Each structure stands twice: as structure tokens, then as C-alpha cells.
Amino acid sequence: MITPVLPASPESIRRAAAIIQRGGLVAFPTETVYGLGANATDAEAVARIFTAKDRPLTDPVIVHIAKAADLDSVARDLPPAAHVLTAAFMPGALTLVLRRAARIPALVAAGGETVAVRMPSHPVAQALIRDSGVPIAAPSANTFSRPSATTAAHVLEDLDGRIDLILDGGAATIGVESTILDLTVAPPTILRPGGIPVEAIRALLPDVQVAARYLGVETAAAAPGQMLRHYSPRAALALYTGTDDDATLARMRADIAAAQAAGRRVGILVSDDAAHLTAALTADLGTALEVVSARLFAALRDLDAQGVDLIVVRWTRREGLGAAIWDRLVRASNGRVIVVKP
Ligand code: TXA
Ligand code: MG
């Protein structure tokens, strides 16, 4: 182990802030997932994030601020909806795409004119941003395409030796990333479902749209292999869905048996009624949506650590956090979505 992991305390947070100020990289907890932070106003520091993560420069990063008054320092020409949503959901698991202020280097936005802004509620993230005195650019603190890190140990697993410090603030409570809402387009469009449910945003912003790629099972299933590989465990993941529970579970049992007969080690992500699919390694996701989202990424890493070749999971819920969980599973499956017809 080369990168120090320090329990988050006022002193270690000050040390982390000093690293940010001199252009270094610090991983820190937020309520969604761990972030890998750098001074958002320093293009060289931001460039180090991309190198550490093996992240393509075409994928823009989110800028984190501590308070609503800082919005004007990173974005400009805020539309009225930005104020409504800020009052309702910030600090919290919402990211707004706005017009980029000149102070934020283009690299943060992959060269574009917009900037994604989030105000985390986690006290360690809040303290780090305040002590640093600058907005903090931070993607999730995982190697590109791996499941996001929800604990300091998972950050270390991916980024040891590549970053300057990890602040350990315990396990992330929400467990999936923020909801991303683009306010620079009409109608406003959700680019990624996440910790704030689409329904809660729609209650304040009735004309909000959801980006087409999230609209249906068919979209996901029609494009196997076409998707950006993301959130992926090392094992292949097969995602089952369908309206008929018995038919879906029967198909899963048959596929698991066939894989095992072919000598593959199979792991199951278990939520509620998939519990009786046995004879394979399991990771328990729990049943309540908040519990499933909090456990999801750790469960993927856990099955990987057990050396499985194939992970199977059934997911049907799309309401509330169910939409974000579905999205992460679709992407982890790399488009391997099996829609079982009754
Ligand atoms: O909860 C979260 O959002 C976490 C924590 C650390 O804040 N961050 C996170 O960052 O998930 P990342 O980089 O893993 O995902 C951010 C996503 C990327 O897929 C990127 O394409 C999108 O946000 N994004 C960033 N800036 C954007 C912009 N200006 N316009 C559109 N999308 C943007
Ligand atoms: Mg990420």
C-alpha cells in the first residue's frame, strides 16, 4: 500500500485540502459514492484525474461546491429552474448541467461550453471543499469502467499508488451516483438516473424528459455490446427482466445450470424473490430500494473477489431509486439483458 488512507478528521481534512491546493489528488467520501478530487480551476491538476483513472479525455467531470452561493463562480446565466432545484435538492444527490464559467477550464467539460455542478451533503466532502477554498472537480473514485467505489478500501483497490491521499469516511449511504439533469437544453433532460428520483424532479419541473437511452428495456436489449462498458465487474453479468416472475426464475435456473455444467463459476445478486435460486455463490442485495442501492457496487466487487465467471441478477423495479439501479445493472451487463416473455 502506497497511498495513505486516513480516517476523516478535521486534521486529515486540512491535510487533504493542502494537497488539493498544490494540485494533487484526494479521494473523499460523498453520500453517493467516493469522489476523486482535484482543484477544478487548475487544468493540470484536473488532467491528473484522467491519468489516475485511465479515463478518456472525452468524458467530462463534475465540479463540486459547498454552498449555493458558489454556483455563480463555476456557472453562468443560471436559468430560473436552477434556483428552484437548488433550493429543493442541494446539498444532495443532484448534479445540474449549466453553462460553464470562464474560471473553469475546458478540460473539466471535455472541451464543451457546459459544466456539471453538484453540492454534496456529506460533512467530509463539505469540509474538504471549504478548507480547499476552491471548487473540486471529481469523478467517481474508481478505475474507468469498474464499479464505483462506495468504501475507502474499494478506492484503494483501484487507485493505490496513483493518488496522493484517501480520506476514509465510512461506507457511502446512497451507493449510486447523483442524478444528472441538463438545464442547458429544452426541455430539461435527465442524462443519468441517480440518487434523487426522477419523480421528485418531475414534481417541480413537469416538462423534464429522460434521455432516450433510459426509456425502455427494448432500448437496452436491442443494443448488446453497443454500450459504453461501465460499472463492470470482471465477471460477465447477465441481467434478467420480465413481467412473469415464474417464467423469469425458471429461465434463470436453466441458464445457471447450463453455465455450471460448462464449468463456469456462477454468482447471483439476490434481491427478494430471487432468494430461492440456490446452488451458486450469492451476494445479498436486500429488498428495500435504499438498501439495494447502498449495497450494489460492493456486491459486484464482492462476487469478483470470490472469482466468479458469470453474475446473474433479476431486476424489474423502475420506480424511485429502481431506475438508477436498473441503469447501473444494464451498463454492468454491457447490454446482456434477457427479457423473459411469459
Ligand atoms: O454522485 C456522483 O455524481 C459522483 C460523486 C463523486 O459526486 N460523481 C460521479 O462522477 O459519478 P462520474 O465522473 O463518475 O460521472 C459523471 C458523469 C459522467 O458520465 C459525465 O459524462 C457526466 O457526468 N458529465 C460531466 N460533466 C458533464 C457535462 N458538462 N455535460 C454532460 N454530462 C456531464
Ligand atoms: Mg463514474
Side-chain angles (χ1 to χ4, degrees):
M1 191 178 115
I2 300 166
T3 299
V5 181
L6 299 179
S9 66
E11 198 206 329
S12 62
I13 294 170
R14 277 196 295 276
R15 186 167 149 188
I19 292 171
I20 297 281
Q21 286 165 354
R22 59 168 190 266
L25 301 181
V26 174
F28 61 97
T30 85
E31 67 278 20
T32 56
V33 298
Y34 274 68
L36 174 58
N39 178 352
T41 65
D42 176 347
E44 278 177 35
V46 173
R48 286 188 194 106
I49 293 177
F50 289 88
T51 309
K53 279 194 60 141
D54 291 330
R55 181 180 174 112
L57 292 167
T58 48
D59 197 4
V61 297
I62 297 173
V63 173
H64 296 70
I65 58 174
K67 53 189 193 299
D70 293 341
L71 267 176
D72 285 321
S73 71
V74 298
R76 61 191 171 89
D77 310 331
L78 302 188
H83 299 289
V84 174
L85 293 163
T86 303
F89 301 117
M90 291 194 184
L94 177 67
T95 294
L96 296 179
V97 175
L98 300 163
R99 298 187 64 187
R100 179 166 57 87
R103 181 182 180 221
I104 300 299
L107 179 61
V108 168
E113 295 301 314
T114 62
V115 63
V117 187
R118 163 156 137 74
M119 195 191 308
S121 64
H122 197 292
V124 174
Q126 281 275 334
L128 177 66
I129 300 165
R130 285 175 196 273
D131 286 0
S132 301
V134 291
I136 294 185
S140 51
N142 51 288
T143 307
F144 188 69
S145 93
R146 293 274 298 149
S148 298
T150 51
T151 66
H154 292 162
V155 177
L156 190 67
E157 197 173 281
D158 282 13
L159 298 174
D160 189 17
R162 294 173 159 242
I163 65 177
D164 298 300
L165 180 67
I166 299 170
L167 285 175
D168 186 351
T173 51
I174 296 178
V176 292
E177 301 84 347
S178 60
T179 301
I180 302 179
L181 172 60
D182 190 348
L183 292 181
T184 68
V185 293
T189 302
I190 290 180
L191 303 180
R192 177 178 74 184
I196 299 289
V198 175
E199 296 91 330
I201 294 171
R202 184 160 289 133
L204 295 179
L205 211 62
D207 64 336
V208 72
Q209 303 278 307
V210 178
R213 52 182 292 239
Y214 298 116
L215 288 181
V217 182
E218 293 68 25
T219 330
Q226 302 272 300
M227 298 203 153
L228 185 63
R229 187 168 159 269
H230 222 101
Y231 306 110
S232 306
R234 294 191 177 86
L237 185 142
L239 171 57
Y240 292 79
T241 195
T243 50
D244 187 309
D245 294 357
D246 292 339
T248 309
L249 292 170
R251 171 72 185 274
M252 289 173 77
R253 269 193 295 274
D255 289 355
I256 291 167
Q260 287 172 328
R264 301 178 80 191
R265 275 168 76 85
V266 181
I268 307 174
L269 289 176
V270 176
S271 181
D272 49 49
D273 62 353
H276 60 275
L277 291 168
T278 49
L281 296 164
T282 57
D284 183 15
L285 291 177
T287 302
L289 291 174
E290 295 72 30
V291 176
V292 176
S293 77
R295 290 184 184 172
L296 179 62
F297 289 135
L300 290 171
R301 285 176 183 259
D302 178 36
L303 287 177
D304 264 346
Q306 296 186 58
V308 306
D309 307 301
L310 174 67
I311 296 172
V312 300
V313 56
R314 167 173 130 85
W315 193 257
T316 53
R317 288 176 280 172
R318 306 280 193 281
E319 76 287 357
L321 282 172
I325 294 164
W326 167 253
D327 167 62
R328 304 311 185 266
L329 287 171
V330 168
R331 297 214 242 172
S333 78
N334 199 19
R336 252 180 102 165
V337 181
I338 298 129
V339 184
V340 181
K341 300 267 164 16

